[in-house]
Amino acid sequence: PHPYIAASVDGIAALQRFGATRIRLWAVEVKTATTGKTRAKYDRILKSQMQRFAEQKTDDFGPVSDDGKLWSCQWGDSVCAALIDDKAHRHQILHHATVLQTNTVVFVRAAPGGRDPGRILYAVMVKMPKELR
């Protein structure tokens, strides 16, 4: 980690492949869509990305899960920009990757309490190029 800069992530995911000795640490950033209007906006964005993925049939980006709730992308690509539409949030992800020197940051868009407390609208595994961290 960088000795002079701090990062305040919402979580750390520790991942280890079966049989491996190395543990990978990924920063997790959670942003909550607090109003019905905002949740509807992100539902539309997710639907649009699913449609785009179905039409382009590319391996460069796309959903990792069958339900389209988990995505993978490269920092700065169109999926990253679409699913993490707030520029400040993208900068925050870059900051986390730089300070923590991690190659992946997981961005989670969630719904607040209510009928479905803590529901995950979608998550994006953002792969960070080494030259940016």
Side-chain angles (χ1 to χ4, degrees):
H2 196 284
Y4 302 110
I5 302 175
S8 177
V9 298
D10 293 317
I12 298 286
L15 298 121
Q16 184 177 26
R17 289 188 175 153
F18 183 74
T21 56
R22 183 176 175 196
I23 296 174
R24 294 182 182 266
L25 298 178
W26 292 358
V28 178
E29 183 62 34
V30 179
K31 296 296 181 191
T32 305
T34 56
T35 67
K37 184 178 177 182
T38 307
R39 285 191 300 277
K41 170 188 170 185
Y42 291 113
D43 284 340
R44 283 191 307 275
I45 288 172
L46 185 59
K47 189 175 189 177
S48 168
Q49 287 301 301
M50 287 295 288
Q51 182 177 8
R52 180 174 167 239
F53 176 74
E55 291 169 357
Q56 293 188 357
K57 305 268 190 221
T58 177
D59 291 332
D60 294 338
F61 67 90
V64 176
S65 62
D66 291 338
D67 64 0
K69 301 267 182 177
L70 180 61
W71 288 74
S72 177
C73 68
Q74 295 289 326
W75 169 256
D77 72 11
S78 60
V79 172
C80 182
L83 293 177
I84 308 169
D85 65 323
D86 188 317
K87 192 175 184 179
H89 295 167
R90 290 194 305 271
H91 287 171
Q92 189 173 20
I93 288 170
L94 177 61
H95 179 78
H96 291 336
T98 302
V99 172
L100 300 174
Q101 297 177 0
T102 183
N103 64 352
T104 305
V105 177
V106 180
F107 178 85
V108 178
R109 179 75 64 190
R115 289 185 317 176
D116 53 355
R119 179 173 69 99
I120 293 176
L121 301 175
Y122 58 84
V124 186
M125 296 182 305
V126 183
K127 296 176 184 163
M128 309 300 289
K130 190 169 188 166
E131 60 271 10
L132 288 180
R133 27 184 185 100

